[in-house]
Amino acid sequence: MTSDNPQPVFNEVIHAPIRLRICGLLDTYGTMRFDVLRDTLEISDATCSKHLKTLAEHGYVQLNKRTGEGGKAYKVTWVKLTQEGEQAFQSHVAALRQIVAGQ
Amino acid sequence: MANTQKTQQPQQIRSSNHARNQQQAMDALDALQALDTDRAKIATGYAARRTSNIVWIAIVFGLLTFTYWLIPQAWFNRFNLPWNPIWIVAALLAISLLLLTTAILLNSRRQGIAPQWQAPKPAMRSHRYKIAIAVHFFVNFIPPILALAVGFATTAWWSAVAVTLVGAVINGAMEAWECDETVRALQQRTAPELPALDSSTEAHHDIG
């Protein structure tokens, strides 16, 4: 559970532009399909994977591979923002707002 | 000459710090604006699905209200059916819930996200959205109570149509309100208004 007024904490891992946007989208939707995330951000598979891997290594996102719909052979990756990730993202946004406000 | 240089140094440091702070503020603002742009895209998607959402909700809740009208008819077996009429009520309830679940699953599949039984988090954090949900919760009791009362009083076909329409219209209107509040919450800017950043900010790119 995140609070309405999170403590502002600048997060170097989340601050990278693509990772910030990934967290922003996941914060809104909770769980997204990898391809939808990639298309929304208009980035390549490799770039998206790289940033998700970094976020996953820090425990901010969780990657789940599930079988495609209708028992298709390929696996679909679902990306979920963890509670830790949500808190870190909210704190980072609060820190950014603080910086912009010049405090 | 040396004294002049000494007095200029703190001024240069102050000026450099000021420029660095402003650059950081600009970077932070860019980052927040990127988040706002993404959320605005999501809001556009929700706005585009507004009509279909309202229609689905109106159909499901219209059907549910009709089911409530049928309950007294079934209870008193007014249609003299050879089998227990409560099965009609059970079937209609099941169909309504199935339609609602199908709508949510189809919507999430189209969006490429996990099925959401709640609105997106920015909407859930919005005060206005919470008010819409609370009002919907209380208004939600009107059609069933009305349908039960009317169903108890009469078996006329037009009364069934009327209560179905009441249920559909009330819930459709509430869904429209919730959709509007969701879009409004998603369109709210994360980036605060920038305090007086002076024009010197742009002069620190070491170009020229």
Side-chain angles (χ1 to χ4, degrees), chain A residues 46-58:
Chain A
T47 311
C48 196
S49 292
K50 192 184 83 178
H51 287 295
L52 284 175
K53 198 179 160 200
T54 308
L55 288 169
E57 278 168 0
H58 287 83

Side-chain angles (χ1 to χ4, degrees), chain A residues 55-100:
Chain A
L55 288 169
E57 278 168 0
H58 287 83
Y60 295 151
V61 299
Q62 211 177 353
L63 304 172
N64 287 317
K65 286 196 178 199
R66 296 182 211 159
T67 313
E69 282 159 356
K72 286 173 188 162
Y74 62 86
K75 298 249 178 178
V76 177
T77 305
W78 287 84
V79 189
K80 184 185 177 199
L81 192 67
T82 61
Q83 204 175 347
E84 197 185 341
E86 196 178 326
Q87 276 167 0
F89 172 73
Q90 296 291 346
S91 299
H92 184 66
V93 169
L96 290 178
R97 288 174 63 88
Q98 205 174 49
I99 292 169
V100 174

